Amino acid sequence: MKKRSLLLVILFGVLYCSQAQAQGLPAINIIPKPVSVKLKPGTFKLNGNTVLYVSNEAKETATAGFFASLIGNAGLKRLRLQDIPKDMKSVSNGIIFRFTLKGNIPPEGYVLNITPERIILEASEGAGLFYGMQSLIQLLPPEIYSVNKDRVNSQYSIPCMEIRDHPRFHYRGMHLDVSRHFFPKEFIKQYIDLIAMYKMNVFHWHLTDDNGWRIEIKKYPKLTGIGAWRVDHENDPWNKREPQKPGEPATYGGFYTQEDIREIVKYAGQRYVTIIPEIEMPAHCVEVLAAYPNLSCKGNQVTVPPGSYWPNTDIYCAGNDSVFIFLQDVLSEVIDLFPSEYIHIGGDEADKTSWTACPRCQARIKAEGLKDENELQSYFVKRIEKFILSKNRRMIGWDEILDGGIAPEATVMSWRGVEGGIAAARQGHDAIMTPEDYCYFDHYQALSSTEPKAIGGFLPLKKVYSYEPVPEELKADERKHILGAQGNLWTEFIPTVKQAEYMALPRMIALSEVDWSPKGKRDFLEFRTRLTPHLRKLDFMKVNYSPGSFKVDINTRFDQKTGKAEVILSSEQPGIPIYYTLNGNDPDSKSTQYTDPFDIKGNMVIKAGLFVDGNLKEKISERNFLFHLAVGKKIKYMSTWSERYPAGGETALIDGLRGSKDHHDGLWQGYLANDIDVIIDFGKEIPVTSVMATLLQNQKAWIFLPKYVEFSLSSNGKKWHSVNQVLNPVSPKEEQVFIQPFTQPFPSTPARYLRVTAKNYGVCPAWHEGAGQASWIFADEIVVY
Ligand code: ACM
Ligand code: ZN
């Protein structure tokens, strides 16, 4: 193409884009965001006469049929399906579904070409065709999901474009715990529909846990006869439920028959969703021991707990071969039901007290030459893996399967942070990332006092969206072991379908983009705008979702060249105005309305809130900004902060923003086991008269003040002189949470560079609950005058 005509096409594309919006044509709100979308002139008119042309291979998939039935439900008559004519160019008012040569389009990818005459959807495999169809549906207005047919049109205009798309990660998962609360088959199908709608491809089905066994196993009928039922104490708080009393009937529960499971597996398969079943071992199995007490170390009779069961002391006996026979029998039936390559065996949170006291477990340790109970768990898991491999399947376990030595071919599901995933990848094992802080959708997603009861934590939509599954610690050749990310929905505090929807949505939609879209294409505020029609779609579908957080985020931005510092206010709620003050008073709907970033010129208190009809929606956000000489200057890190507490990342220590006593407030940078070691470059030599580092102690959260903070100055970055080591003046035993400044004033000294080193306290002391384990340092700012 000649350069000039290329320019014209680009220009036309840009003009068309805004024209499309102006004409009220559908905007491109596809989620997850495709790899590439090129708008073109014109529109395709979808109406009752549109024909779906399907190639022979594509007929083997249900994809065109899904499209036809959705359109049928949307008020158009059910579209006809026909063979593709020899000359595709003869097709007008048709949608062509076909396969192209393998290799032309990446795995699971598709090309969707929309012209005024026809739409051509191509992929090299069924999954790609299905995902292209999902994108095409998302180009139609949310009203197509309306049950009220008056709302729908007899014709839909789809803007012309070419989409080329494929996923970033092959593993894109959602988990659901059906043990803590049982969910009916119809909801499982709906959950799979939602997974598929957002191009995710794994449903991790947590089928067994202490509070109920949910899958029929023909050989062991008591698993569902007894293990699936508990006393109904649903009206008491989860953590305070009395165990079953003798004679008290167990009436709460349920399970899926093998017929149900086959139906659901087939349903998922047609939607390119693989179901990974999880059968928990060696712990989280009290419900099994209630049915078959001989499988525990002590063999005592237990009951299915109706609520919290902690610690997990009733576990399978690792010294009893009957346990392995039982588990192999169960897994054999599970493997027959689920075609999934992976089988999940749990492996988390086993309290091994009973193994320590059990003669059979101790005999096993001795006979197998194991060092301790951790190695006994490793023996247990390895033995199970051997069986799973013998059935030509692969094993996944929670990251505890690393303890005591990982099984040879296991895949690790990293949940206690990202460390398990890092360790697995470094050992050459695959990992699926589902760290609590970013992927546990049972956590609160807005201010807890305004939300239905949840287990705890705070995981707003924005934080899910910010998740980067590949830990930066990994080297290039280790990164391929990160298969993707998964959202987990544990259901201790989720008793109903409506609550499950509320907790999963819209966070799973945000995660779908983390898993699918190119990293560089992610932009939260743009995503949040694209999300709006999807929420409307959920309204039409009568699916519940959370309106999200109504908090205002207050951030700062620096231009290191000009030295200019700006405040940026944002929220998860596009369209709801933000009002703010800078004088310390609480804002109301008559305060200044935020439109654009504004300059910081000195110390200020920024207070902001979202107001609807004059009323504050959540609570006022507040940030104290301290203007000092290091604000916005260059900073070099010689040590690394923890991924779990990055605060503002590179600029956290010199952004002028002061933290509160809440170490989760997003302003505290956390260092696990590490020192803080940074060099600030003022850009030129300036007179320095005082330096201060502010640190937090919260020993109950394993956060200690450093042993000392050392300040050094230099004019060339090579020759340093230490101004002082400021020793920690406060006892580590101090129980209060407090912020401690480490300050060093001195006679005015010219310097260009300041080095600040804060020495980690070391491992938690003997009297502490974390005795012997790594401790944290938390810092929010290095203040220079
Ligand atoms: C887990 O959350 N116990 C895997
Ligand atoms: Zn035992």
Side-chain angles (χ1 to χ4, degrees):
M1 193 188 282
K2 278 203 259 56
K3 254 202 188 134
R4 207 162 58 110
S5 51
L6 179 68
L7 229 140
L8 279 175
V9 168
I10 293 170
L11 198 64
F12 191 86
V14 171
L15 282 176
Y16 179 76
C17 226
S18 47
Q19 221 181 337
Q21 316 276 335
Q23 288 175 355
L25 295 172
I28 314 304
N29 289 313
I30 296 171
I31 297 179
K33 197 174 178 75
V35 171
S36 129
V37 178
K38 288 201 183 88
L39 275 167
K40 296 189 171 165
T43 56
F44 176 88
K45 303 279 192 293
L46 176 72
N47 54 39
N49 296 323
T50 304
V51 177
L52 307 182
Y53 295 95
V54 189
S55 72
N56 280 336
E57 309 94 303
K59 261 185 221 149
E60 315 257 310
T61 77
T63 297
F66 285 144
F67 187 76
S69 62
L70 185 98
I71 294 301
N73 290 339
L76 296 181
K77 65 182 191 212
R78 197 182 162 97
L79 304 182
R80 277 174 302 141
L81 267 63
Q82 286 186 10
D83 288 338
I84 302 181
K86 276 227 163 57
D87 178 14
M88 286 209 307
K89 290 214 176 76
S90 69
V91 169
S92 73
N93 195 11
I95 304 177
I96 294 168
F97 293 77
R98 65 176 212 135
F99 285 118
T100 179
L101 285 179
K102 272 217 177 350
N104 285 2
I105 296 176
E108 301 185 88
Y110 63 92
V111 176
L112 181 63
N113 205 336
I114 303 171
T115 63
E117 296 76 32
R118 65 193 80 86
I119 294 175
I120 302 176
L121 171 55
E122 289 180 311
S124 50
E125 56 179 351
L129 215 55
F130 183 78
Y131 296 138
M133 188 268 297
Q134 293 293 356
S135 288
L136 182 56
I137 287 173
Q138 290 192 17
L139 293 171
L140 299 170
E143 282 75 7
I144 62 165
Y145 290 92
S146 171
V147 286
N148 176 357
K149 295 304 169 219
D150 297 345
R151 283 177 170 276
V152 297
N153 305 331
S154 56
Q155 175 159 296
Y156 297 98
S157 290
I158 306 176
C160 293
M161 68 187 83
E162 187 191 75
I163 301 180
R164 292 183 168 268
D165 199 12
H166 63 270
R168 180 176 171 206
F169 293 104
H170 175 58
Y171 188 109
R172 306 180 299 279
M174 278 300 296
H175 149 288
L176 180 67
D177 164 12
V178 294
S179 172
R180 273 52 178 267
H181 284 97
F182 178 70
F183 295 89
K185 185 169 76 176
E186 291 66 36
F187 176 68
I188 302 301
K189 288 186 178 174
Q190 186 202 314
Y191 200 70
I192 290 166
D193 282 338
L194 288 165
I195 290 172
M197 201 174 250
Y198 290 99
K199 303 189 178 97
M200 297 178 101
N201 63 353
V202 175
F203 170 42
H204 169 176
W205 204 357
H206 188 78
L207 283 162
T208 75
D209 211 309
D210 301 313
N211 304 97
W213 180 279
R214 305 295 179 211
I215 171 172
E216 179 190 22
I217 299 295
K218 304 270 192 207
K219 195 157 185 181
Y220 298 99
K222 284 197 280 187
L223 284 173
T224 45
I226 294 172
W229 303 95
R230 65 192 194 220
V231 286
D232 184 348
H233 293 178
E234 292 297 299
N235 290 331
D236 299 331
W238 178 262
N239 294 326
K240 296 201 176 117
R241 290 185 187 168
E242 290 288 323
Q244 184 172 11
K245 294 195 175 64
E248 193 182 3
T251 55
Y252 182 92
F255 64 92
Y256 310 97
T257 64
Q258 294 206 347
E259 203 177 322
D260 291 335
I261 302 250
R262 283 198 190 89
E263 182 185 326
I264 292 169
V265 165
K266 182 168 173 217
Y267 187 88
Q270 289 171 333
R271 290 156 180 80
Y272 298 91
V273 173
T274 299
I275 304 183
I276 298 182
E278 180 181 352
I279 304 296
E280 276 272 19
M281 63 190 80
H284 284 297
C285 62
V286 193
E287 87 290 17
V288 175
L289 305 179
Y292 297 100
N294 60 307
L295 300 176
S296 73
C297 287
K298 284 193 238 134
N300 52 322
Q301 183 61 57
V302 290
T303 53
V304 181
S308 174
Y309 172 71
W310 190 263
N312 270 279
T313 45
D314 293 297
I315 68 177
Y316 290 119
C317 177
N320 180 353
D321 281 335
S322 310
V323 165
F324 292 94
I325 292 167
F326 165 81
L327 287 171
Q328 290 176 10
D329 287 344
V330 168
L331 288 172
S332 293
E333 290 193 35
V334 168
I335 285 168
D336 282 347
L337 288 167
F338 292 93
S340 159
E341 177 187 11
Y342 291 106
I343 304 294
H344 199 307
I345 56 88
D348 55 322
E349 298 181 316
D351 181 313
K352 300 172 186 94
T353 312
S354 73
W355 287 359
T356 317
C358 169
R360 279 187 296 194
C361 286
Q362 292 306 312
R364 177 85 76 196
I365 287 179
K366 208 160 163 207
E368 296 292 332
L370 307 172
K371 202 167 76 206
D372 56 15
E373 285 71 23
N374 269 343
E375 288 199 358
L376 183 57
Q377 161 142 345
S378 168
Y379 162 86
F380 193 116
V381 173
K382 283 176 182 159
R383 188 162 162 178
I384 293 294
E385 180 183 62
K386 205 164 158 196
F387 176 75
I388 291 175
L389 290 172
S390 79
K391 296 272 190 181
N392 289 321
R393 305 298 179 92
R394 301 176 65 188
M395 188 188 75
I396 302 182
W398 299 109
D399 57 46
E400 287 91 334
I401 66 167
L402 284 155
D403 303 344
I406 187 172
E409 295 182 41
T411 295
V412 169
M413 196 166 263
S414 188
W415 74 278
R416 296 174 301 175
V418 299
E419 288 76 11
I422 294 171
R426 285 189 175 150
Q427 293 176 45
H429 287 252
D430 288 344
I432 295 152
M433 304 307 285
T434 177
E436 274 183 292
D437 288 350
Y438 292 90
C439 296
Y440 270 41
F441 295 170
D442 54 340
H443 290 188
Y444 284 106
Q445 50 202 317
L447 187 69
S448 59
S449 57
T450 65
E451 283 290 288
K453 178 89 185 133
I455 199 160
F458 180 55
L459 176 56
L461 189 66
K462 187 175 176 180
K463 186 162 181 192
V464 176
Y465 193 79
S466 75
Y467 182 52
E468 169 46 40
V470 181
E472 55 193 10
E473 290 94 323
L474 291 182
K475 297 203 201 87
D477 62 327
E478 295 162 343
R479 294 182 170 206
K480 63 173 188 287
H481 289 298
I482 305 298
L483 304 183
Q486 172 177 292
N488 288 351
L489 201 58
W490 301 101
T491 57
E492 287 92 337
F493 291 84
I494 303 180
T496 64
V497 161
K498 285 292 140 199
Q499 186 58 12
E501 293 170 353
Y502 184 90
M503 298 306 275
L505 292 161
R507 289 186 285 194
M508 67 172 281
I509 302 181
L511 189 68
S512 79
E513 197 147 309
V514 170
D515 267 330
W516 179 284
S517 305
K519 186 178 171 185
K521 287 222 161 191
R522 278 197 266 145
D523 171 340
F524 178 73
L525 292 179
E526 188 269 337
F527 164 78
R528 185 57 191 80
T529 307
R530 251 183 305 126
L531 179 64
T532 300
H534 292 260
L535 300 181
R536 200 164 147 72
K537 172 178 77 186
L538 295 175
D539 286 333
F540 285 127
M541 291 169 70
K542 306 227 176 308
V543 172
N544 197 16
Y545 60 88
S546 164
S549 168
F550 287 82
K551 185 172 130 263
V552 175
D553 284 325
I554 304 175
N555 290 301
T556 48
R557 182 168 67 194
F558 305 100
D559 185 328
Q560 281 173 350
K561 279 206 195 91
T562 61
K564 219 166 97 164
E566 288 181 324
V567 175
I568 303 157
L569 305 182
S570 63
S571 81
E572 278 184 16
Q573 309 294 339
I576 301 187
I578 300 173
Y579 293 93
Y580 71 96
T581 62
L582 301 176
N583 60 4
N585 293 339
D586 281 352
D588 58 29
S589 57
K590 293 184 202 70
S591 305
T592 313
Q593 186 177 338
Y594 176 78
T595 51
D596 293 301
F598 53 87
D599 288 354
I600 299 173
K601 298 206 176 80
N603 293 351
M604 51 182 37
V605 179
I606 307 150
K607 288 189 172 187
L610 285 178
F611 292 83
V612 174
D613 300 330
N615 298 314
L616 179 66
K617 272 301 286 187
E618 203 176 275
K619 70 172 189 185
I620 303 282
S621 298
E622 178 175 342
R623 289 288 193 237
N624 287 312
F625 186 87
L626 188 69
F627 206 76
H628 58 85
L629 295 174
V631 167
K633 294 295 184 293
K634 275 198 197 116
I635 184 163
K636 190 171 146 203
Y637 279 79
M638 261 81 59
S639 63
T640 44
W641 64 80
S642 160
E643 291 259 333
R644 290 178 63 187
Y645 295 97
E650 285 264 309
T651 57
L653 298 179
I654 45 161
D655 61 4
L657 295 173
R658 306 302 314 278
S660 66
K661 283 188 193 170
D662 171 10
H663 67 277
H664 286 111
D665 71 4
L667 295 177
W668 291 96
Q669 195 162 64
Y671 293 73
L672 182 59
N674 258 349
D675 301 336
I676 300 175
D677 189 4
V678 294
I679 295 176
I680 297 166
D681 175 359
F682 301 115
K684 59 175 192 276
E685 205 160 64
I686 56 166
V688 177
T689 54
S690 156
V691 287
M692 171 173 87
T694 42
L695 294 122
L696 182 83
Q697 178 155 307
N698 179 350
Q699 54 108 318
K700 295 211 170 110
W702 305 24
I703 302 167
F704 291 95
L705 293 179
K707 287 191 176 130
Y708 61 83
V709 179
E710 178 164 359
F711 301 103
S712 314
L713 294 171
S714 168
S715 31
N716 57 12
K718 294 188 185 92
K719 232 174 101 203
W720 294 89
H721 73 101
S722 170
V723 242
N724 200 2
Q725 261 193 14
V726 184
L727 295 177
N728 170 19
V730 190
S731 161
K733 283 197 170 162
E734 173 56 54
E735 291 202 352
Q736 302 296 320
V737 178
F738 62 94
I739 297 169
Q740 180 68 30
F742 285 67
T743 307
Q744 182 58 46
F746 42 81
S748 178
T749 310
R752 172 164 172 181
Y753 300 95
L754 165 68
R755 183 169 189 163
V756 181
T757 316
K759 187 77 190 157
N760 187 287
Y761 177 80
V763 295
C764 298
W767 50 265
H768 190 264
E769 74 156 333
Q773 299 198 54
S775 75
W776 292 86
I777 310 185
F778 271 65
D780 75 328
E781 194 74 5
I782 294 165
V783 180
V784 182
Y785 291 114

